[in-house]
């Protein structure tokens, strides 16, 4: 009998989990609160310009993930990125950097094949009855039964869903997340110097990248991504996004 399994979260972890379960013969459904998949590897479009506002690249540190990246590169979903840094072209990379093409979300798209994904579905509660799981949403609707549920969301969200599972909840309480404001800027003309990536610029700015330097992007003008430092992001997490944008761009 085919097992019906639910996964909460359509980021890299949730989609990788789905791929393994599908290959084992399970029927898998994913519920994602956002309108797009990818989580912190999602690609945001402003007009026709794609921005990697979250994860800027990935590295392959295990044989299994290296095989997956090689598979993506050979099929056109990913490519090696060698930006110009203060140490020259491709300098400062302890491990090779890879990016999705034409956006970081391309890395997770092959994982979504043969999986039913529901977007814009924020899970509110998990309940268990008669050895099966029910999933309840913010609009008070429910789906189920499921033989199992995999929770693949950041720790604070997971804790809200798994609060009744004390052993898991206690472990989640010890997880500390690092916030990060991300600023996306589109300019008709190139204004950055020849360097494509800057890191640890100040107490405010952790990362600046010419996003359109990455393989498969639109090369015209400048598409810039700025990441604030975790400390500054935490201190300003309640500020209005417009105010944060002005301060980051000024910096």
């Amino acid at each position: 009998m085919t097992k019906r399994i639910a996964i909460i979260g359509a980021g890299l972890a949730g989609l990788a989990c789905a791929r393994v379960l599908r290959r084992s013969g399970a029927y898998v459904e994913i519920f994602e609160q956002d309108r797009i998949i990818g989580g912190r590897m999602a690609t945001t479009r402003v007009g026709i310009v794609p921005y990697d506002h979250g994860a800027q690249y990935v590295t392959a540190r295990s044989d299994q993930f290296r095989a997956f990246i090689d598979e993506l590169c050979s099929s056109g979903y990913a490519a090696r990125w060698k930006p110009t840094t203060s140490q020259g072209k491709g300098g400062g990379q302890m491990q090779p950097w890879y990016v999705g093409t034409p956006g970081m979300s391309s890395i997770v798209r092959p994982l979504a094949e043969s999986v039913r994904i529901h977007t814009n579905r924020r899970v509110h509660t998990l309940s268990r009855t008669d050895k099966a799981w029910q999933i309840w949403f913010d609009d008070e609707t429910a789906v189920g039964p499921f033989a199992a549920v995999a929770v693949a969301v950041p720790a604070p969200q997971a804790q809200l869903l798994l609060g009744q599972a004390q052993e898991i909840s206690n472990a989640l309480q010890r997880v500390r997340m690092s916030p990060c404001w991300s600023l996306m800027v589109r300019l008709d003309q190139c204004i950055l110097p020849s360097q494509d990536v800057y890191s640890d610029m100040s107490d405010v700015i952790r990362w600046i990248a010419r996003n359109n330097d990455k393989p498969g992007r639109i090369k015209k003008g400048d598409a810039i991504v700025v990441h604030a430092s975790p400390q500054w992001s935490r201190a300003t997490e309640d500020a209005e996004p417009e105010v944060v944008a002005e301060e980051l761009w000024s910096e």
Side-chain angles (χ1 to χ4, degrees):
M1 181 177 176
T2 301
K3 289 186 177 181
R4 188 184 183 200
I5 299 177
I7 298 175
I8 302 173
L12 179 58
L15 290 167
C17 177
R19 185 191 219 194
V20 173
L21 290 171
R22 279 290 299 140
R23 289 181 172 181
S24 71
Y27 176 78
V28 181
E29 290 189 63
I30 300 180
F31 301 93
E32 166 60 45
Q33 67 177 3
D34 207 344
R35 60 181 180 80
I36 55 177
I37 67 172
R40 281 166 286 181
M41 296 179 68
T43 299
T44 295
R45 288 188 176 273
V46 180
I48 63 171
V49 182
Y51 287 88
D52 302 324
H53 62 282
Q56 297 295 291
Y57 59 86
V58 297
T59 59
R61 305 184 188 186
S62 68
D63 292 340
Q64 188 175 16
F65 194 63
R66 189 173 294 108
F68 175 62
I69 291 297
D70 289 344
E71 177 186 328
L72 292 177
C73 290
S74 63
S75 57
Y77 284 104
R80 177 81 187 273
W81 182 34
K82 297 181 180 180
T84 300
T85 70
S86 60
Q87 301 178 48
K89 188 73 171 177
Q93 297 184 8
M94 300 296 291
Q95 300 278 346
W97 293 2
Y98 295 94
V99 297
T101 53
M104 285 299 290
S105 62
S106 295
I107 289 178
V108 303
R109 293 201 176 281
L111 301 174
E113 295 174 359
S114 302
V115 178
R116 190 177 182 186
I117 301 177
H118 308 267
T119 55
N120 282 325
R121 297 292 274 165
R122 183 187 293 272
V123 177
H124 183 274
T125 306
L126 300 177
S127 63
R128 183 172 175 82
T129 57
D130 298 327
K131 298 183 180 180
W133 291 90
Q134 295 280 340
I135 295 177
W136 293 83
F137 302 99
D138 279 354
D139 61 4
E140 298 184 359
T141 60
V143 292
F146 294 100
V149 178
V151 180
V153 297
Q157 299 173 29
Q159 189 176 3
L160 293 176
L161 297 174
L162 300 169
Q164 295 180 350
Q166 199 64 43
E167 183 178 348
I168 299 176
S169 181
N170 289 341
L172 290 171
Q173 277 185 331
R174 295 192 291 270
V175 177
R176 292 294 175 262
M177 303 291 292
S178 294
C180 177
W181 279 109
S182 182
L183 173 65
M184 298 171 286
V185 180
R186 168 67 182 165
L187 301 168
D188 291 334
Q189 303 295 325
C190 293
I191 68 163
L192 289 184
S194 58
Q195 192 169 323
D196 299 309
V197 168
Y198 302 80
S199 59
D200 296 320
M201 297 299 294
S202 69
D203 291 339
V204 174
I205 293 179
R206 173 60 57 86
W207 169 273
I208 303 172
R210 181 178 275 118
N211 191 82
N212 53 321
D213 172 71
K214 296 178 178 180
R217 273 61 167 183
I218 299 171
K219 298 300 182 182
K220 184 180 179 181
D222 262 342
I224 301 169
V225 174
V226 180
H227 280 177
S229 69
Q231 296 81 6
W232 191 84
S233 296
R234 185 173 288 110
T236 59
E237 61 183 348
D238 295 326
E240 292 295 326
E242 293 79 7
V243 174
V244 170
E246 289 180 6
E247 290 208 24
L248 283 177
W249 188 238
S250 175
E251 181 78 10

